[in-house]
Amino acid sequence: MTFLVTGATGSVGRKVVDELVRAGHPVRALTRDPGKAGLPEGVEVVAGDLTRPETLGGVFDGVTAAHFIGFAGDDYGPLESAAEVVDLAVRAGVRRATVLKGVQGEQVEEALRKTDLEWTFVQPVEFMSNALNWAESIRTEQTVREPFPKALSAMVHEADIAAVIATALTGDGHHGQTYVLTGPEALTKPDKVRILAEATGQDIAYVELTEQQARERWAAEGHAPETIDFFVWVHGDPPEIGYTVAPTVEQVTGRPARTFAEWAVEHKERFTA
């Protein structure tokens, strides 16, 4: 049984590969640039781009189960080619699929619902790795500048997302499920800063930005107005799903979800000069 992982060099896809390899499964990893993949020895790395189905010839051959990303590459836009990609998988004999849901569009999910494949959709809330956006300012000035200090997030460890995906790919009983994944606690930005300070042994200051200051910073970083509006919404008034702790990780994998404190210790060198 060969397992295909698309988006295999992403923050989640790479860990899905690791999970499958540790369990002894043959893995084929799809990436746009195999030369830069840096994946574990024994993984079959193949070139292809989900946004260009013509590049996927033979990618699904011999694959029993496939993990898809539900968005189009680095810009996280809708995957408009989803129906063609799923059709290639069906015609090649793939029997099971998981999807890492994106913020925009449900093209992959809609295409899979029209097939006889066993499918599982995985919907994580904020990734703990988003805290890496603070790494430079913590290294250089031991300061985090962010708006909305009271907003909560039940952020989830990328390894837990990968563990759920690997479990659904390799085991029975997950067909037709949409798994919302969170960490074990809901934290504010000052909470996260405190935890990072404890993990790194530094004094890290949290400086609150006003919404206007945040908008100006995001604009200076080159974000479009509609993207900035999205940031204000998701950070300033997050939907209930984003801060409500769910037990799904433990229910699916059999072990508790990792904490942000664990994540911070694992990545502490990224925050120190």
Side-chain angles (χ1 to χ4, degrees):
M1 294 176 64
T2 296
F3 294 86
L4 175 72
V5 179
T6 70
T9 58
S11 58
V12 172
R14 187 176 294 272
K15 292 187 181 300
V16 174
V17 170
D18 290 342
E19 288 277 344
L20 293 170
V21 169
R22 276 196 295 269
H25 298 292
V27 178
R28 182 177 298 161
L30 180 72
T31 176
R32 286 171 291 184
D33 190 349
K36 297 181 179 179
L39 293 169
E41 186 177 351
V43 172
E44 179 190 0
V45 182
V46 297
D49 186 340
L50 294 180
T51 67
R52 298 169 57 213
E54 68 273 13
T55 69
L56 302 178
V59 165
F60 293 101
D61 291 352
V63 170
T64 301
H67 171 62
F68 295 99
I69 51 174
F71 44 87
D74 295 335
D75 64 0
Y76 300 99
L79 185 62
E80 304 296 348
S81 58
E84 295 173 79
V85 172
V86 169
D87 183 60
L88 288 173
V90 170
R91 288 195 278 120
V94 175
R95 299 197 300 270
R96 181 178 291 169
T98 56
V99 181
L100 178 66
K101 288 172 64 70
V103 174
Q104 301 185 58
E106 294 189 347
Q107 285 84 349
V108 180
E109 297 98 300
E110 291 170 358
L112 284 169
R113 286 191 180 100
K114 297 175 182 177
T115 72
D116 293 328
L117 271 66
E118 296 179 27
W119 52 260
T120 307
F121 304 151
V122 177
Q123 184 176 359
V125 298
E126 182 185 6
F127 291 8
M128 290 182 181
S129 60
N130 284 0
L132 291 172
N133 293 332
W134 300 341
E136 184 177 358
S137 66
I138 290 176
R139 284 196 308 269
T140 58
E141 52 183 335
Q142 290 75 53
T143 301
V144 170
R145 294 178 174 83
E146 291 287 344
F148 313 123
K150 295 181 180 179
L152 289 165
S153 172
M155 58 201 319
V156 60
H157 198 301
E158 301 77 50
D160 286 335
I161 304 170
V164 169
I165 290 168
T167 300
L169 277 177
T170 60
D172 297 327
H174 305 283
H175 173 51
Q177 298 295 317
T178 297
Y179 290 136
V180 175
L181 306 184
T182 76
E185 57 192 341
L187 301 171
T188 64
K189 291 184 180 69
D191 290 334
K192 299 172 198 175
V193 170
R194 171 183 52 78
I195 290 168
L196 287 168
E198 293 170 353
T200 61
Q202 303 177 90
D203 291 326
I204 304 174
Y206 174 81
V207 176
E208 180 182 355
L209 299 182
T210 66
E211 179 182 322
Q212 184 57 36
Q213 287 172 326
R215 285 181 176 274
E216 291 170 359
R217 185 181 74 182
W218 289 325
E221 291 171 350
H223 295 292
E226 59 270 20
T227 302
I228 294 173
D229 288 340
F230 171 76
F231 288 163
V232 170
W233 169 68
V234 77
H235 293 293
D237 186 23
E240 186 175 354
I241 193 174
Y243 57 80
T244 302
V245 173
T248 318
V249 169
E250 185 166 8
Q251 289 173 344
V252 174
T253 68
R255 57 163 185 73
R258 295 169 173 90
T259 65
F260 184 63
E262 292 176 276
W263 183 95
V265 170
E266 292 168 11
H267 297 83
K268 62 183 180 181
E269 73 282 354
R270 301 285 296 273
F271 297 91
T272 53

